[in-house]
Amino acid sequence: MIETTNPTAGGPPPGARSRAPVLTSTVLLLTLVFAPLFPLLNLTINNVPKVYLPPDAAAVEIDTLIREFFPNDQGIAFLFEGPDLYSEQLLLGLDEASAALLSLPNIQKVYSPTRQDHIQATSEGFRIEPLLKVSARSVLSPSERRDRALSDPLARGTLVAEDGSALALVVIPETLDDSFSRLALQTTIYEVLADHSLSEYITAEAGLITTDVEQTREFLVQMSLFIPITVAVGLIMVWLLFRRLLAVSLGLVCIVATVAPTIALYSILDLPFNLISSILPPLLCALSIAALIHLYTGLKLASRRGLSGSQRVRSALQHIRRPGLYSALTTMAGFGALGLSEIQPISHLGLICAFGVGLNYVVAFHLLPPLIEHFDHTSWDTKRSRWSLADKLIRGLFHTGTRRPGTTLLIAALALGASAPLAGRIIVETNLLEFFAPGHKTRVATERFESKLAGTGSIDILLQSNQTEGLIAPDALAQIDELMAWAESQEEVDRATSFVDHVEQMHKAFNSDRESFPRLPESADLISQYLFVYDGTDIYDFVDPDFQVGRIHLNLNAHGARAIASLLNRLDSRLETMSVAGIEGKVAGLGRMFSDQVYLLISGQLRSILGAIGIIFVLMWIEWRSLRDSLVCLLPNLAPVLLIFILMGVLNLWLDVATAMIASVAVGIAIDDTVHIFHGFIHRVRAGVSPVLAIGRTYHYAGRAVTTTTVILCAQFLILTISDFVPIRHFGLLASTGLLAALFFDLLLLPAILMLVYRGMTSTLRDRDEAERPAATVQPIKDSP
């Protein structure tokens, strides 16, 4: 770097300084702090699988098509247990509660034992009546009602436990596009059930809406807890390092002015905020503190040289603003590369976080300095003893690297090479239930529900015929029945339900339940007669009135994306064997969308890492104008990424929607320290300092700053590891591990690489640097931080 000024101690008196920069900075900071308040109040929280896929994804398009005909699979299910489960009082309350829920404007369907169609055989054929009819004229005893419920194959296993010990109520709302609406729905349902004296019978709640609501509660609680703690830890560290109330106050302003506008972008751009996005606030808090540490360290070192006022601020900025800019750009590149992911929340997080990092650079290095210049008139120097331990660590590591560079690099390469196979143990998986800690009420409730009834996971098979009534032709019914039987034979499937079940029950009732008759009618005319007589409604949840579009609903006991993806592969192969002409089968539903994330995670992870590395390399090449220098900066930062993957393999941490972004984030953050170190080293070498001396002086000054920022970042990220919400816990662990590894490699491997690459090259670098600049502007830079 070329210095064109020669600052001296002192500066103009405070009254002589222009107030314009101070007023401009104050107005802009106040705008950044208060303007986002309204957008933040309108933040949309949505965490359903659909938001994780591109709008044009096949799974989304098929799901949109099937919802045009049939109820959606965003449901919430309640399990009722008790000694008087089949009493008139309880069933009457359940029926009235079902009616009350159906009267709500956002409820699409309510499945209840008192409203389930029951096909009852009669002397004239069959009639449709409620499964558990409750009225003043009812003469059935509780045990008779229980036997009646168990006799209905359509209800058994879905609304009635196989042993009769539990009943279920399933509420299907209209499509709700945000988690707060789902939370409000859940609250309303509980109020209705309480009004009808049913609360004491509820022993479990499960379903997609339940999982989403609990995830929303969890990450909102975690954010409200960890954001203040992260901020407090950062500000406490600032105080301990610099003992300046001004530094702490401006640190808080910097954090708010960075984080609030960045999160507000989600509302402004009408993007959903979800569990992926919840990592953004603590992440930006930590990065804001890291940027300030470099600024404050520059002010402290300038103060030690006797500078004050505007001279001190300008001297500090002269040495930190340029590496700060490239640090911000490389971090933005790391996050921005996440925009290449096809998983929408990860892509949104990357791009918005890149904006936040850029905004933080502007706030820290352009808006805060005028305030510091105006209000700060005392020394920033602190006791050297506070740095003694850090100095010993820094000297020990970089001396090892410089004195034995070849040995250091060889040992590091062998250690990483020997451990690398452990990264191959990483499993690509996402299981929303396992985002909750063991023993969490949602996991416990889901397990209890599924121990009594069919699984709460779901897949729909969309069936389409090219002709009216094509799905109820005898050969079509037979083949759909075979497909359902095959599906129920799969380990992941508890139950398969379709309109074929209703036709079977009508045929059975019409023939007085005699077992000698075939399960399904073999005459098209007879089928048409059954459907003409049928006056129920439940069948049309599975087939349209033209009998041209239908679905098979599968209840799954599997909640992991890998298991569901395996089932889908087998199901797709099975659908290809359908031989009924004119009928096409496609897999749809939230289960399909959820499983598709597995493939997007793998491809997105690869694109994001390569994208981050590529963009950062280009930025390094622009900065240093040298292929060699760019590679020197990049190589030490690839090792921490490998170490993160090794740790994931050792600890059996999944590559899921939460951890898929950690590699790009680690590269983007870790290279900041490398930029600061290399910037100090290369400009000293170009000024004529020998590489050995340049390394020593650089690490004496920059080593403290990068060590301090890494320690603070790790302290803030390690706080996240105490979270009960697994994605936040894993992100904190992996981020802190990657940063510590990056610091270790910057202090040990980077000096070794610098010694091997630049030994004896001082004159060459100086001559090249002088040849590329006008001679009149070139002045040797004084050794400084």
Side-chain angles (χ1 to χ4, degrees):
M1 187 180 224
I2 302 304
E3 183 174 345
T4 57
T5 61
N6 185 23
T8 58
R17 291 194 291 267
S18 171
R19 294 182 181 273
V22 178
L23 292 175
T24 301
S25 293
T26 301
V27 170
L28 291 175
L29 286 170
L30 289 175
T31 301
L32 290 173
V33 169
F34 292 104
L37 292 180
F38 181 75
L40 288 174
L41 293 175
N42 292 279
L43 200 64
T44 298
I45 296 180
N46 192 357
N47 203 47
V48 296
K50 193 171 184 176
V51 304
Y52 286 79
L53 298 176
D56 59 349
V60 175
E61 292 178 347
I62 296 174
D63 186 72
T64 301
L65 174 62
I66 199 171
R67 300 312 154 202
E68 293 178 4
F69 297 93
F70 308 114
N72 69 60
D73 46 2
Q74 293 185 33
I76 179 169
F78 297 88
L79 188 71
F80 298 90
E81 295 179 272
D84 51 351
L85 199 59
Y86 296 91
S87 67
E88 184 81 15
Q89 181 181 3
L90 185 142
L91 292 177
L92 183 60
L94 190 60
D95 188 64
E96 292 175 349
S98 300
L101 291 171
L102 278 171
S103 68
L104 298 176
N106 58 346
I107 300 298
Q108 189 178 59
K109 185 78 176 181
V110 174
Y111 295 100
S112 164
T114 64
R115 291 179 174 260
Q116 170 87 3
D117 283 350
H118 175 69
I119 303 173
Q120 179 67 42
T122 67
S123 59
E124 298 178 354
F126 62 83
R127 67 173 178 266
I128 307 299
E129 59 186 23
L131 175 62
L132 295 178
K133 182 167 56 176
V134 287
S135 68
R137 295 177 296 173
S138 177
V139 295
L140 295 179
S141 67
S143 61
E144 289 174 326
R145 294 191 189 101
R146 179 179 179 277
D147 293 341
R148 177 183 171 92
L150 291 175
S151 70
D152 191 311
L154 295 176
R156 193 173 61 248
T158 56
L159 294 176
V160 182
E162 293 285 350
D163 59 359
S165 62
L167 299 177
L169 173 74
V170 181
V171 181
I172 304 295
E174 300 288 348
T175 301
L176 302 175
D177 292 327
D178 68 275
S179 296
F180 283 142
S181 296
R182 300 184 193 104
L183 175 59
L185 172 67
Q186 184 195 55
T187 303
T188 300
I189 294 174
Y190 270 106
E191 291 173 351
V192 170
L193 296 178
D195 290 342
H196 294 85
S197 304
L198 295 172
S199 299
E200 62 182 288
Y201 295 97
I202 300 174
T203 58
E205 176 196 341
L208 174 71
I209 290 179
T210 300
T211 303
D212 173 58
V213 166
E214 290 305 318
Q215 283 186 350
T216 301
R217 283 199 179 101
E218 283 291 336
F219 76 68
L220 287 177
V221 168
Q222 303 301 319
M223 285 174 60
S224 64
L225 175 66
F226 288 110
I227 291 177
I229 293 177
T230 302
V231 173
V233 168
L235 296 180
I236 289 171
M237 296 291 285
V238 169
W239 169 256
L240 293 176
L241 287 170
F242 302 102
R243 300 299 175 111
R244 303 299 306 279
L245 184 60
L246 178 67
V248 175
S249 301
L250 292 182
L252 181 59
V253 171
C254 180
I255 290 172
V256 176
T258 297
V259 176
T262 304
I263 298 178
L265 273 183
Y266 278 95
S267 178
I268 295 170
L269 300 176
D270 195 26
L271 299 175
F273 195 85
N274 46 45
L275 83 89
I276 298 296
S277 320
S278 67
I279 296 171
L280 179 62
L283 183 60
L284 283 180
C285 290
L287 292 175
S288 297
I289 292 294
L292 289 175
I293 293 298
H294 287 291
L295 174 63
Y296 294 161
T297 300
L299 292 170
K300 188 172 82 72
L301 294 174
S303 178
R304 182 176 296 171
R305 291 164 54 208
L307 301 179
S308 63
S310 60
Q311 298 278 353
R312 179 165 62 203
V313 173
R314 291 171 187 171
S315 176
L317 290 176
Q318 184 180 25
H319 297 104
I320 64 171
R321 184 176 277 173
R322 186 178 180 89
L325 172 62
Y326 274 87
S327 294
L329 290 175
T330 53
T331 304
M332 291 172 68
F335 285 116
L338 293 173
L340 299 173
S341 174
E342 292 185 82
I343 296 179
Q344 297 294 287
I346 293 179
S347 177
H348 297 156
L349 172 75
L351 297 175
I352 290 178
C353 198
F355 166 83
V357 173
L359 177 62
N360 177 243
Y361 169 78
V362 173
V363 171
F365 294 102
H366 290 275
L367 298 185
L368 293 186
L371 299 181
I372 296 173
E373 182 179 333
H374 185 80
F375 293 107
D376 181 40
H377 311 299
T378 57
S379 173
W380 281 73
D381 201 8
T382 55
K383 296 180 181 179
R384 294 173 182 267
S385 60
R386 290 189 184 133
W387 295 95
S388 58
L389 182 61
D391 284 341
K392 289 179 182 179
L393 173 65
I394 295 167
R395 284 197 300 270
L397 290 174
F398 87 76
H399 282 166
T400 300
T402 53
R403 292 170 181 171
R404 302 176 182 85
T407 303
T408 299
L409 292 176
L410 179 61
I411 293 175
L414 291 175
L416 288 173
S419 305
L422 295 172
R425 297 169 52 183
I426 296 177
I427 297 174
V428 182
E429 174 68 292
T430 297
N431 187 325
L432 297 183
L433 283 178
E434 297 205 15
F435 282 174
F436 301 107
H440 189 279
K441 64 177 183 178
T442 301
R443 292 182 66 168
V444 173
T446 301
E447 290 169 2
R448 182 172 186 83
F449 193 99
E450 294 184 342
S451 70
K452 295 289 184 177
L453 297 167
T456 57
S458 68
I459 285 176
D460 283 326
I461 304 173
L462 177 64
L463 302 170
Q464 293 175 293
S465 173
N466 59 9
Q467 57 185 342
T468 301
E469 299 188 353
L471 293 181
I472 57 172
D475 56 344
L477 289 180
Q479 190 152 110
I480 294 171
D481 187 56
E482 289 178 5
L483 177 61
M484 293 169 61
W486 174 88
E488 289 185 337
S489 70
Q490 305 304 299
E491 182 181 0
E492 301 87 354
V493 180
D494 282 344
R495 178 70 178 267
T497 309
S498 81
F499 59 92
V500 175
D501 293 308
H502 294 78
V503 175
E504 178 186 344
Q505 291 305 304
M506 285 186 275
H507 185 57
K508 183 177 180 181
F510 189 80
N511 291 283
S512 304
D513 294 336
R514 286 176 288 180
E515 297 297 335
S516 59
F517 279 80
R519 291 180 62 249
L520 292 171
E522 299 174 346
S523 165
D525 291 338
L526 186 57
I527 296 171
S528 298
Q529 181 182 348
Y530 290 159
L531 295 171
F532 179 78
V533 175
Y534 178 83
D535 59 353
T537 60
D538 288 354
I539 193 174
Y540 298 110
D541 290 338
F542 299 95
V543 68
D544 74 321
D546 294 327
F547 304 103
Q548 193 169 357
V549 180
R551 68 165 178 153
I552 302 173
H553 183 73
L554 305 183
N555 289 94
L556 307 183
N557 54 53
H559 299 282
R562 284 167 56 89
I564 297 175
S566 174
L567 171 64
L568 292 182
N569 289 334
R570 283 174 269 138
L571 187 53
D572 285 335
S573 299
R574 177 74 183 191
L575 289 174
E576 291 177 359
T577 66
M578 289 187 66
S579 59
V580 178
I583 294 182
E584 181 182 12
K586 297 178 181 178
V587 181
L590 291 173
R592 162 75 184 273
M593 291 187 285
F594 185 61
S595 70
D596 283 359
Q597 294 176 16
V598 172
Y599 304 103
L600 296 181
L601 279 174
I602 298 173
S603 60
Q605 175 83 327
L606 182 61
R607 281 198 300 269
S608 297
I609 294 177
L610 294 179
I613 293 173
I615 296 171
I616 290 173
F617 177 79
V618 170
L619 289 172
M620 293 297 94
W621 183 82
I622 294 173
E623 166 68 354
W624 314 123
R625 299 179 305 281
S626 166
L627 177 63
R628 178 196 60 226
D629 295 353
S630 302
L631 288 174
V632 166
C633 281
L634 191 60
L635 287 176
N637 293 283
L638 299 181
V641 175
L642 177 58
L643 190 62
I644 287 174
F645 287 140
I646 291 172
L647 180 65
M648 290 177 67
V650 171
L651 299 181
N652 195 29
L653 301 182
W654 292 341
L655 179 65
D656 56 27
V657 291
T659 58
M661 53 192 172
I662 191 65
S664 298
V665 171
V667 171
I669 297 177
I671 203 166
D672 289 1
D673 292 343
T674 308
V675 169
H676 282 279
I677 291 173
F678 190 79
H679 179 271
F681 167 80
I682 203 67
H683 91 251
R684 286 184 172 89
V685 171
R686 289 177 177 177
V689 180
S690 69
V692 175
L693 185 58
I695 291 174
R697 290 181 178 176
T698 297
Y699 277 89
H700 178 68
Y701 293 109
R704 289 177 176 179
V706 299
T707 301
T708 303
T709 56
T710 300
V711 170
I712 292 176
L713 283 169
C714 288
Q716 291 173 301
F717 285 130
L718 282 172
I719 291 171
L720 303 181
T721 62
I722 66 174
S723 171
D724 289 332
F725 200 41
V726 175
I728 293 178
R729 182 197 309 163
H730 288 172
F731 184 86
L733 173 64
L734 296 175
S736 55
T737 300
L739 290 174
L740 283 175
L743 176 65
F744 179 79
F745 291 136
D746 276 336
L747 297 180
L748 181 65
L749 297 188
L750 183 58
I753 294 174
L754 295 178
M755 284 300 299
L756 291 178
V757 174
Y758 296 96
R759 180 183 294 166
M761 299 180 65
T762 306
S763 60
T764 303
L765 289 172
R766 185 178 62 233
D767 293 343
R768 187 192 72 181
D769 191 58
E770 292 179 355
E772 291 178 351
R773 288 177 170 83
T777 64
V778 176
Q779 299 178 22
I781 190 168
K782 295 181 180 180
D783 188 54
S784 55

